[in-house]
Amino acid sequence: MYINDVNLSPVTVAEPGEAYQLEVSLYRWVEVLVDYPGSSGLFTYRLPAQLEIKPGDILSVPFGTQQLGAIAIRLLAQPNVDIPLDKIREVEDVVSEGFFPRAYWELLNRVAAYYYTPLIQVIRVALPPGLLGRSQRRLRLLPLETREGGDLISATAFLSPPAQQIVELLQGQPGRDYSYTYIQQKVKFAYRGIRELLRAGLAQNYLEPPRLTKPKLQKAVILIGIIDGDLTIRQREILEVLRRRGGELWQSELLQLCNTSTSTLKTLMQKGYIVVEDREVLRSEQGPVLAGDQAKSLTSAQTSALERIQSLEGFAQILLHGVTGSGKTEIYLQAIAPLLAQGKSALVLVPEIGLTPQLTDRFRARFGTKVSVYHSALSDGERYDTWRQMLTGEAQVVIGTRSAIFAPLPSLGLIILDEEHDSSFKQDSPIPTYHARTVARWRAELENCPLVLGSATPSLESWVSVANPGTSTLTRGEEEGQDKTQDSRLRTHYLSLPERIYSRPLPPVEIVDMRQELQQGNRSIFSRSLQEAFQQLKEKQQQGILFIHRRGHSTFVSCRSCGYVLECPHCDVSLAYHHAEEGGPQLLRCHYCNFGRSHPPHCPECSSPYLKFFGSGTQRVAQELNRQFPELKLIRFDSDTTRNKGAHRTLLTQFANKEADLLVGTQMLTKGLDLPQVTLVGVVAADGLLHLSDYRASERAFQTLTQVAGRAGRGDDPGRVIVQTYTPEHPVIEAVQQHDYLSFSNTELEQRQALNYPPYGRLILLRLSSLDPIQVQNTAQIIATALSAREGFEILGPAPASILRVANRYRWQILIKFAPNELPNLPDWEEVRSLCHQSVSLTIDVDPINIM
């Protein structure tokens, strides 16, 4: 097992700002946790005289030939290792001073234990990028002039296949180099190829030092002398500008205002009138200037829910089940306001980065500069500075995605998961494969504060936990009994918001049978109802949303002569056609490994020119709209159009300013967007969500369709929803039409219970992958055979993943199923890992969401 037994003494980890009572001079050694794959023990280092190190500090240490990140665990008067003292190496530097409060450290240990992950890996996820720096070994292809003969083609002609593949890989990189880790992921038997290239003098390896994130510094000019006669007119003007601006300005700003140079400022420094010094500039996401916002009046249901939340003391889990447009966000705002006044902080998690701009604007309009944003789309510097700002202890609100659950907020008073049902809260890779909802519950328990789970379509796990709190997910190691069950019932609350604010009705949902459309001669991808609704949008000057479950132009390209389908050379999936601007290149792209190629003029199999595009993605739907309704202006909102930083905010602002009539997009449209001007929602093909080989397919389909339908009619004008499908009789479609969560959940839970699937059963998914298809299959069979000798759980598999090959890696799976309230004799996962061949990667996914 990993280092879950690192139990720290009371003096080991201090709260922020807490003084250490022991004399540092007594300690000359420190035990650290090193960020190195496969290393799970503690290592001892010497304390340099010039550095003051405390437990919890993030360090840079020498490790072998590398320089790695490490966490200081405990100080020692004498080393606990039986090696000569002169062999113990010194700590290189302190990267960041410690911030690990006891409750936070307990949280990290719990995540490591529950998700079977090395503790240092959990710490890497919790910290901002760049703090745990790691040097890495890289391979660089040497330039032609350094090679004897200078002919690369002749030099590589006699190389082995692995070496030739590495050369091709390096040639495709502008810098002609890659890390060893990346090469090993891409090339089978990479080490043999690397060794061969080094011996042949075709490449060289080198150690790249760690890239550590540092504070951003900027020069500031400060006025320190009284303005007198020892000055030229120009110098006097500069000092007067500085005086009128309060005596301090950034140097760049002063140079621009006065149209002067740094040499002039240097003269003023020499005369003793100013000083120029480096000052830190905090990097943070910059939002628009917003007018202040006041608390809104609440409905009776909102008032009741808010009073219940505010009356809770200590830990409690609240499911806030409100229909779309019922005002859940206003409850969040009014629940947080008194906490900030008490000096406490709040953490708000959202499933998608695309949702943060709109939510952040509402929070900043209410709370101003006390609101920070934390997610992966920020630059490393922005995340680093935002993370450090949290450590100041000031009352603040942090809004972020999944990883923000580890935000180091002291005095945490409330945790909120908005759209708690969303699968984006679960991490599939890399490890730890944690679910933010599970970690949020642990953190709320440790911080002794309430946890609010908000959704119009709660996950079945959350629904069952409030219907029967005694069946909630158990933490490994807990002993269950009557007292625990009663405690769960007292601390679990269900709050309902059954109506929209201002008594606005939920939009009627019209189901269109596309089979009948085809029989009646309509071959368009848009039904006649949807076409009529598009025409009315322009006439009434209203706006609409069109939902498609896939991006791109077409889902695959096939030859009409021989049936050949163009596939990704690295994955077992078809290439999707992506249409660029008119006259631009025609591109085929893999949505799994991002491989791209130009669209061929002829079939690669039979040379036929008749290649046809099948299926409809956002690009093709947008093209059809432009062809059939040229008067409609539209904006595409998918991962292709929102790649650039700030793109989510830009596109939504354009739509809110009525620069377009239609917003055409994928899953991002379903995740909590509040667009009051939208009166029409169209779903082009609901069937793409229904027929998937996943036991959660029906739940996901109901949630997605209900959520996207809920975008309509949130303003003064009534809404309308049109869902196109080839299976209108499907129970999910019928439940969506009636906005009936209760009947859907009852039907779905009956099926889950019969098959012992979550929330009535527990799952652990073993994901194995390798460049070698035979090796990964054999390893999967060996592990499954070893597991089948144990009792207390059911083994499903081994079986190939639904898409066997992704990015040239072959994937197999083993599913372990067991009862939720029982902890069977689960295997020692270190023994299971030892059964893996060195070329096979194993990921243990506890409580998996995606099993395809």
Side-chain angles (χ1 to χ4, degrees), residues 340-508:
L340 294 177
Q342 298 166 25
K344 295 183 178 181
S345 295
L347 179 58
V348 182
L349 302 185
V350 294
E352 283 279 352
I353 293 170
L355 186 53
T356 55
Q358 193 175 50
L359 195 69
T360 302
D361 288 351
R362 284 198 64 180
F363 273 73
R364 281 183 174 152
R366 190 72 59 89
F367 303 128
T369 57
K370 292 184 177 181
V371 178
S372 301
V373 175
Y374 193 78
H375 54 67
S376 60
L378 300 179
S379 69
D380 287 357
E382 287 171 338
R383 292 175 72 183
Y384 174 68
D385 285 352
T386 302
W387 175 81
R388 288 191 304 132
Q389 187 67 22
M390 298 177 204
L391 299 175
T392 61
E394 297 176 6
Q396 55 192 298
V397 180
V398 171
I399 301 174
T401 48
R402 179 176 62 223
S403 60
I405 188 56
F406 297 107
L409 283 169
S411 304
L412 194 54
L414 181 65
I415 302 175
I416 296 169
L417 258 76
D418 194 29
E419 311 297 340
E420 67 84 26
H421 64 275
D422 200 282
S423 59
S424 299
F425 283 124
K426 179 70 162 68
Q427 173 140 317
D428 287 330
S429 66
I431 58 172
T433 58
Y434 67 96
H435 198 303
R437 185 177 60 228
T438 302
V439 180
R441 179 183 173 88
W442 295 339
R443 186 157 191 197
E445 288 175 348
L446 292 167
E447 302 280 359
N448 200 29
C449 72
L451 166 65
V452 176
L453 308 175
S455 178
T457 53
S459 65
L460 293 179
E461 285 83 356
S462 296
W463 179 252
V464 167
S465 73
V466 295
N468 185 12
T471 64
S472 57
T473 302
L474 310 183
T475 302
R476 191 170 287 106
E478 286 183 347
E479 293 187 6
E480 293 298 306
Q482 186 63 29
D483 291 342
K484 174 68 181 176
T485 302
Q486 293 299 329
D487 189 47
S488 295
R489 291 183 186 279
L490 291 172
R491 294 187 176 188
T492 307
H493 306 267
Y494 175 76
L495 305 177
S496 176
L497 302 175
E499 294 181 354
R500 286 185 162 184
I501 56 173
Y502 305 121
S503 300
R504 290 172 181 146
L506 287 168

Side-chain angles (χ1 to χ4, degrees), residues 566-577:
L566 277 75
E567 294 186 339
C568 174
H570 310 300
C571 310
D572 291 336
V573 293
S574 59
L575 293 171
Y577 173 56

Side-chain angles (χ1 to χ4, degrees), residues 25-98:
S25 59
L26 294 176
Y27 299 104
R28 299 175 51 206
W29 320 92
V30 61
E31 284 188 323
V32 305
L33 199 58
V34 179
D35 179 23
Y36 186 77
S39 167
S40 59
L42 295 177
F43 293 86
T44 302
Y45 285 84
R46 186 192 306 272
L47 293 177
Q50 73 277 14
L51 292 180
E52 183 179 336
I53 294 175
K54 300 186 294 293
D57 285 354
I58 299 167
L59 311 175
S60 180
V61 299
F63 193 85
T65 60
Q66 304 184 66
Q67 192 175 318
L68 303 179
I71 307 294
I73 299 300
R74 60 170 67 89
L75 302 176
L76 302 173
Q78 290 294 327
N80 291 330
V81 289
D82 187 20
I83 60 174
L85 297 184
D86 59 343
K87 298 291 185 182
I88 299 178
R89 304 168 77 176
E90 278 195 347
V91 172
E92 186 74 24
D93 200 1
V94 177
V95 177
S96 181
E97 294 186 0

Side-chain angles (χ1 to χ4, degrees), residues 511-519 522-527 616 683-688 690-691 723-730 733:
I511 307 297
V512 178
D513 188 343
M514 295 302 286
R515 297 171 300 188
Q516 293 184 6
E517 290 285 315
L518 186 62
Q519 290 173 4
N522 179 17
R523 296 184 177 275
S524 168
I525 59 175
F526 306 122
S527 62
S616 300
V683 178
V684 173
D687 306 273
L690 297 171
H691 309 297
V723 177
Q724 298 183 166
T725 177
Y726 287 90
T727 52
E729 68 281 356
H730 196 288
I733 300 295

Side-chain angles (χ1 to χ4, degrees), residues 697-733:
S698 291
E699 182 182 6
R700 283 203 193 102
F702 176 82
Q703 289 166 343
T704 300
L705 294 174
T706 300
Q707 290 286 343
V708 74
R711 302 313 107 199
R714 298 167 77 99
D716 295 331
D717 297 325
R720 178 186 183 190
V721 180
I722 299 173
V723 177
Q724 298 183 166
T725 177
Y726 287 90
T727 52
E729 68 281 356
H730 196 288
V732 168
I733 300 295

Side-chain angles (χ1 to χ4, degrees), residues 555-778:
T555 52
F556 66 96
V557 181
S558 176
C559 175
R560 295 168 66 184
S561 299
C562 70
Y564 177 80
V565 175
L566 277 75
E567 294 186 339
C568 174
H570 310 300
C571 310
D572 291 336
V573 293
S574 59
L575 293 171
Y577 173 56
H578 284 246
H579 179 75
E581 67 277 358
E582 288 298 327
Q586 294 180 311
L587 299 175
L588 301 177
R589 187 165 298 281
C590 174
H591 287 179
Y592 286 83
C593 73
N594 210 33
F595 168 82
R597 60 159 293 177
S598 59
H599 177 57
H602 301 93
C603 172
E605 189 75 11
C606 72
S607 300
S608 168
Y610 302 113
L611 294 172
K612 181 175 174 59
F613 305 128
F614 289 85
S616 300
T618 49
Q619 282 187 334
R620 184 181 174 196
V621 170
Q623 275 188 346
E624 283 295 308
L625 281 168
N626 286 328
R627 187 179 66 82
Q628 293 189 43
F629 305 95
E631 71 280 3
L632 286 178
K633 295 179 181 178
L634 57 93
I635 291 174
R636 269 182 54 215
F637 193 71
D638 57 30
S639 57
D640 289 333
T641 61
T642 56
R643 291 185 190 278
N644 297 330
K645 188 174 181 179
H648 296 93
R649 180 187 294 279
T650 301
L651 295 177
L652 289 175
T653 300
Q654 290 174 355
F655 189 69
N657 292 337
K658 298 199 171 181
E659 295 177 29
D661 305 299
L662 266 178
L663 193 62
V664 181
T666 52
Q667 300 277 0
M668 283 189 277
L669 293 176
T670 70
K671 303 193 178 185
L673 295 178
D674 186 18
L675 302 166
Q677 68 275 26
V678 170
T679 58
L680 171 69
V681 166
V683 178
V684 173
D687 306 273
L689 298 167
L690 297 171
H691 309 297
L692 299 173
S693 55
D694 185 347
Y695 76 94
R696 291 184 184 269
S698 291
E699 182 182 6
R700 283 203 193 102
F702 176 82
Q703 289 166 343
T704 300
L705 294 174
T706 300
Q707 290 286 343
V708 74
R711 302 313 107 199
R714 298 167 77 99
D716 295 331
D717 297 325
R720 178 186 183 190
V721 180
I722 299 173
V723 177
Q724 298 183 166
T725 177
Y726 287 90
T727 52
E729 68 281 356
H730 196 288
V732 168
I733 300 295
E734 292 176 348
V736 169
Q737 185 176 25
Q738 301 298 323
H739 299 282
D740 192 350
Y741 176 84
L742 191 60
S743 68
F744 165 76
S745 60
N746 288 339
T747 302
E748 184 68 13
L749 285 172
E750 285 178 10
Q751 297 176 9
R752 298 274 187 95
Q753 192 168 25
L755 297 171
N756 197 31
Y757 275 108
Y760 298 107
R762 291 275 312 280
L763 300 177
I764 295 177
L765 181 65
L766 306 186
R767 291 193 176 98
L768 299 100
S769 70
S770 174
L771 295 168
D772 188 331
I774 303 301
Q775 199 63 256
V776 69
Q777 181 177 354
N778 290 342

Side-chain angles (χ1 to χ4, degrees), residues 755-756 792-796 815-818:
L755 297 171
N756 197 31
F793 50 82
E794 181 183 355
I795 303 287
L796 301 179
L815 191 64
I816 301 173
K817 189 193 296 187
F818 53 95

